[in-house]
Amino acid sequence: MLLNSFLKTSYPFMQGGMAQIATGRFAAAVSNAGALGIIAAGGKTAEQLRAEIHTLRSLSDKPFGVNIMLMAPDIENIAAVVAEEQVPVITTGAGSPTAFIEQWKNAGSKVIPVIPSVALALRMEKYGADAVVAEGTESGGHVGELTTMALVPQVVDAVDIPVIAAGGIASGRQLCAAFAFGAIGAQMGTALLVSEECPIHENYKQMLLAAKDTATTVTGRAKGAPVRIIKNKMARTYLKLEQETTDRAAFEELTLGSLRKAVFDGDEDGGSFMAGQVAGQLKEIEPLSAIFARLMEQYEQTREGLPVL
Ligand code: TUI
């Protein structure tokens, strides 16, 4: 079964979490354009999250999801809100959601943890996850070690639940590769940052359009909180800071704080501009509908052009 049948969307795409960026309004736009829009709970209080869910429901009657950032300090209350609101799809990141899966499934949600390894995929399957997103280190934000190319086929071989590919997907060719790896569809984040609908500061969009293939770096690897961001003054400061700070929570707060500077203020020196390695591919700002239509067209062309051996 492909992701569009699994999620009841038009396209086999879902949106990545994207803390501070993916509001109810943005997620509604993604869902209305035919993919699965996802509200990011990261950086929000439980009641702020509830308000975003209500905003989305006032703007779209399509399926949607909420992404739960598991390092959040108020995680118990956030987990309770998505259960109370009977959110159709719940994705999780930056940790293991095993403590919440049963609660969410009892509320009728599909639970789709985002994982960076086979071991975590197997654990999620055992605890009742409906599918997993296997996310390669090409992604923006909090990342694992393995590339999408190495990770996705190994996860597909290891589990019996559906696998969605993420990390390094922003074109129809990459979507085609995701299917070749055995995934049922793709999760995308970075590719959607340059949509007209995406509510990030204009400077953030311009940095993405100017980015080259090598524009991103990973901060925090040594401290167990690796985060891929665009190389700027902030990134260089971080790489230095992580040698001095050991407190993971302090690091997360700093990251989310500087993420706000990027998203809302467009602070090119002080902001933490999370982006995946596909940033170098992004060439223009388009409506979401045009991004999705282009991906499908490129996918068809790629498929037809594959060599028959
Ligand atoms: O979660 C993401 N991407 C994110 S979360 C985020 S907000 C944040 N910012 C700074 C510091 C921390 C969080 C920005 N981008 N992607 C999914 C993902 N999950 N990638 C890696 C993981 C992951 C890591 C460890 C999943 C599970 C895990 O489990 C460890 C364990 O065994 O508990």
Side-chain angles (χ1 to χ4, degrees), residues 43 65 186 220 229 271 283 305:
I229 58 176
K283 297 292 173 243

Side-chain angles (χ1 to χ4, degrees), residues 200-225:
I200 55 175
H201 195 282
E202 186 61 26
N203 292 356
Y204 199 156
K205 291 188 187 180
Q206 291 307 321
M207 280 173 84
L208 291 163
L209 295 181
K212 296 191 170 53
D213 55 348
T214 57
T216 68
T217 187
V218 176
T219 58
R221 264 206 208 284
K223 298 291 170 217

Side-chain angles (χ1 to χ4, degrees), residues 4 6 40 77 81 84 99 103 105 111 116 125 136 152-153 177 181 187 216 225 235 273 285 294 303:
N4 46 315
F6 186 67
N77 289 328
V81 163
E84 282 162 29
Q103 178 189 5
K105 291 199 67 164
V111 180
E125 179 177 50
V152 177
F181 296 153
Q187 177 191 275
T216 68
F273 294 83
I285 295 168
R294 182 165 45 76
R303 204 180 56 80

Side-chain angles (χ1 to χ4, degrees), residues 10 31 43 52 57 70 76 112 122 199-200 208-209 214 220 242 245 297 303:
S10 302
S31 287
E52 294 295 334
R57 285 196 158 122
L70 290 159
E76 303 284 336
I112 312 183
L122 286 167
I200 55 175
L208 291 163
L209 295 181
T214 57
E242 66 185 68
T245 307
E297 198 182 303
R303 204 180 56 80

Side-chain angles (χ1 to χ4, degrees), residues 3 45 77 122 135 137-138 142 146 151 159 178 214 229 247 253 296-297 303 306:
L3 186 61
T45 66
N77 289 328
L122 286 167
E135 188 183 85
T137 195
E138 295 93 321
H142 192 74
L146 294 171
L151 175 67
V159 298
T214 57
I229 58 176
D247 181 1
E253 183 45 41
M296 294 305 285
E297 198 182 303
R303 204 180 56 80
L306 286 178

Side-chain angles (χ1 to χ4, degrees), residues 50-126:
R50 195 194 300 280
E52 294 295 334
I53 294 169
H54 293 176
T55 299
L56 182 142
R57 285 196 158 122
S58 74
L59 297 169
S60 178
D61 56 7
K62 299 273 195 306
F64 72 97
V66 169
N67 174 264
I68 311 279
M69 213 281 280
L70 290 159
M71 284 164 82
D74 196 25
I75 185 67
E76 303 284 336
N77 289 328
I78 287 165
V81 163
V82 289
E84 282 162 29
E85 293 289 333
Q86 302 189 304
V87 168
V89 177
I90 300 170
T91 67
T92 63
S96 174
T98 47
F100 306 108
I101 293 180
E102 197 184 322
Q103 178 189 5
W104 292 334
K105 291 199 67 164
N106 288 341
S109 304
K110 275 196 166 79
V111 180
I112 312 183
V114 181
I115 49 87
S117 69
V118 167
L120 274 162
L122 286 167
R123 181 140 43 110
M124 295 307 118
E125 179 177 50
K126 187 172 141 198

